Amino acid sequence: MELHYDITKQDYIDFNLNYYTNNAVVQRSILITRIATAAIVILGGTALMYWVKGLNIWSAAVYLALAAVCFFGTPWYMKRKVVKNTERILRNANNKQLCGPKTLILREEEFELKGENEDMVYQYEGVQRTATDAGHYYIFFDEFSAIIVPFSAFADAQQKQDFYNRITAHIEDEALKC
């Protein structure tokens, strides 16, 4: 099977957002940040108002509102930072080859990814896990990087299913398959 497709900036943004959304460590860090930020605002604001002798129901309400903004706004802010950082990385001259036309050739024992300044051969046994979103397959060989295959690369649903079956054939744990 041979697939020809283009990887765009949006494909990389989608990959990073998928990772941001589905990685337990990232989500735990964001939760801790949300709680810590809200607690600092409440405790710091209360201490400040107590120190300047301005602590009353209104100042407490203001700091509670600011803490709520911090708690509920952190995920939005972090998601925005993921997008901005991905765009910045892709603008870097050393990363220009990440986007553009790609060819993925599936053979019996291995598959090959060809593109500008890249020609990599991967073993099916090396696939650690796969993930998917509304428009892509992500094939992980380690925790942080993946081959992105947009669904637009497939001619039909049968080709998409055949691809999935070949890529995931050597992954024993069903939980690691998308």
Side-chain angles (χ1 to χ4, degrees), residues 79-96:
K79 186 175 181 180
R80 188 170 162 260
K81 291 299 286 182
V82 166
V83 171
K84 294 290 184 189
N85 286 338
T86 302
E87 289 173 340
R88 182 181 47 79
I89 288 167
L90 291 174
R91 278 193 305 268
N92 184 334
N94 295 334
N95 296 324
K96 294 294 183 189

Side-chain angles (χ1 to χ4, degrees), residues 88-122:
R88 182 181 47 79
I89 288 167
L90 291 174
R91 278 193 305 268
N92 184 334
N94 295 334
N95 296 324
K96 294 294 183 189
Q97 80 280 356
L98 294 175
C99 295
K102 306 288 182 193
T103 301
L104 188 62
I105 304 166
L106 277 67
R107 299 187 184 99
E108 287 300 316
E109 300 296 321
E110 62 193 20
F111 58 97
E112 182 177 5
L113 178 65
K114 293 182 178 184
E116 183 180 330
N117 297 326
E118 69 180 324
D119 191 4
M120 297 291 298
V121 176
Y122 300 94

